[in-house]
Amino acid sequence: MEGKNQNTSIEFYMMAFDSHPELKPLFFTLFFIIYIAALLGNIVITTIIITDSRLHTPMYFFLVNLSILDICCTTAAIPKILQIIWSKDKTISYSGCIFQLFIFSSALSTELMLLAVMAYDRFVAICHPLHYSTIMSRKTCTILAAAVWLLGAINSTVHTSLILRLKFCQRNVIHHFFCEIPPVLKAACSDTFINNVVIIMADVILGMVCFILTVISYTYIILTILKIRSADKKKKAFSTCASHLTVVSLFYGGVIYTYVRPAFSNESEADKVMSAVYAIISPVLNPIIYSLRNKEVINALKKLLNINVSS
């Protein structure tokens, strides 16, 4: 078996920022601000939903899951990025790289499926409101959430296991921010054909299929909104759907581009940009788009702040 006796002293040199050394202070500041914003935003949203019983509904239950995934995504990648930018040591150990890859891939694939589930939840709520409580029962929501987390972990385990079979040199250069499947495969010294085939299969199922299901859900939602007579309600509903679809499109588009295209071409600079979209930008935007523009969440936040001030 390839890689069975893999030497744990293998290291990966993360060289994403070496082409612009003069911009390292700027990169460090940007990544630090983004990480703090994503962390605080998602922690605040999770705290608000958990502490306010009025928000204990399917939509907010899935939002808590999304916030946890966003925290996992950013925490798996950004702290190590900050260390690499700040220090002279640009290396990450073999075990550290594999661990980072597994956590990030698991969170990423889980979020792909969760966004489709959230779109379905909104479809049922808007298109079948009378049957909403029956269809999206607590048991159903729990099963759906558990299923996406489990499938995400299984998907990541398969990819990680296949990477563990590969051979690497003692020192490997990765022109990327962090250990992600495509750049790690480029550093491998052995054949990655099977890995690329599995990536494309997973991306078609988890990426394209989930994206299509999400678009179908929102298409039915928009068609239902068009039937609303009130101009104000129609405008508000369209605004919400447009913002959701924008975030979803950025996320799915970035993942599909990054994980399918490397099997056919090699453009590391474009990979960095697209990875930043779904790994760094989306976790910051999600709390704003899905929650902080929501009056129920804002009112719950005000209530929570008033209680803390009173205490």
Side-chain angles (χ1 to χ4, degrees):
M1 182 186 292
E2 281 189 283
K4 186 175 181 180
N5 299 315
Q6 186 84 263
N7 192 335
T8 54
S9 65
I10 290 172
E11 291 181 326
F12 294 91
Y13 288 78
M14 315 303 289
M15 311 299 284
F17 304 99
D18 273 28
S19 56
H20 303 286
E22 72 282 359
L23 295 177
K24 285 184 180 180
L26 176 62
F27 284 138
F28 183 89
T29 304
L30 285 174
F31 278 109
F32 181 77
I33 292 172
I34 288 170
Y35 181 55
I36 296 301
L39 208 60
L40 288 177
N42 285 292
I43 288 174
V44 167
I45 293 302
T46 303
T47 304
I48 290 170
I49 294 172
I50 291 174
T51 55
D52 196 317
S53 58
R54 293 172 299 177
L55 301 181
H56 293 177
T57 63
M59 181 179 76
Y60 294 110
F61 169 72
F62 292 127
L63 277 174
V64 169
N65 281 267
L66 181 65
S67 291
I68 293 170
L69 286 170
D70 284 337
I71 291 170
C72 290
C73 268
T74 51
T75 303
I78 297 182
K80 189 62 182 180
I81 292 173
L82 292 174
Q83 180 193 324
I84 289 168
I85 296 173
W86 185 260
S87 68
K88 293 182 179 179
D89 183 15
K90 310 299 179 186
T91 63
I92 182 171
S93 66
Y94 177 77
S95 58
C97 184
I98 294 299
F99 179 75
Q100 186 183 66
L101 183 148
F102 174 80
I103 296 297
F104 183 80
S105 298
S106 180
L108 192 67
S109 50
T110 301
E111 188 162 337
L112 286 168
M113 292 179 282
L114 182 64
L115 288 172
V117 170
M118 290 172 69
Y120 174 72
D121 171 68
R122 291 298 82 207
F123 159 74
V124 177
I126 295 172
C127 301
H128 302 283
L130 298 178
H131 303 285
Y132 181 67
S133 59
T134 304
I135 296 173
M136 301 303 293
S137 63
R138 179 175 292 186
K139 182 180 179 180
T140 300
C141 292
T142 303
I143 291 172
L144 286 171
V148 297
W149 279 91
L150 179 61
L151 290 172
I154 291 172
N155 177 65
S156 183
T157 301
V158 170
H159 289 301
T160 306
S161 299
L162 289 172
I163 287 174
L164 289 172
R165 295 166 57 89
L166 300 176
K167 289 182 179 178
F168 292 91
C169 301
Q170 285 296 112
R171 296 183 177 183
N172 305 274
V173 175
I174 295 180
H175 296 282
H176 202 59
F177 303 123
F178 57 95
C179 287
E180 195 176 6
I181 295 172
V184 170
L185 290 181
K186 290 176 185 176
C189 300
S190 51
D191 183 43
T192 60
F193 176 76
I194 294 176
N195 298 73
N196 287 325
V197 170
V198 174
I199 284 174
I200 293 171
M201 289 173 61
D203 210 41
V204 168
I205 296 170
L206 298 182
M208 295 179 182
V209 172
C210 287
F211 178 63
I212 290 169
L213 291 174
T214 302
V215 170
I216 290 172
S217 294
Y218 276 108
T219 300
Y220 278 103
I221 290 170
I222 291 170
L223 290 174
T224 303
I225 291 170
L226 289 172
K227 298 175 183 178
I228 298 174
R229 294 182 179 180
S230 172
D232 290 336
K233 289 183 179 180
K234 188 181 291 186
K235 184 180 179 180
K236 181 182 176 182
F238 267 124
S239 174
T240 303
C241 284
S243 59
H244 287 195
L245 276 173
T246 300
V247 173
V248 166
S249 298
L250 282 171
F251 188 82
Y252 279 114
V255 173
I256 292 169
Y257 176 89
T258 303
Y259 282 80
V260 170
R261 190 202 47 74
F264 305 101
S265 60
N266 187 4
E267 297 177 26
S268 58
E269 291 302 318
D271 288 347
K272 294 176 191 176
V273 175
M274 297 310 294
S275 291
V277 169
Y278 60 78
I280 299 168
I281 297 174
S282 286
V284 178
L285 290 178
N286 283 341
I288 299 170
I289 298 298
Y290 284 100
S291 302
L292 297 181
R293 294 176 77 242
N294 188 312
K295 285 185 178 180
E296 289 179 329
V297 175
I298 292 172
N299 290 334
L301 176 59
K302 289 178 180 178
K303 180 183 176 183
L304 182 65
L305 291 174
N306 287 334
I307 291 172
N308 289 333
V309 169
S310 299
S311 300

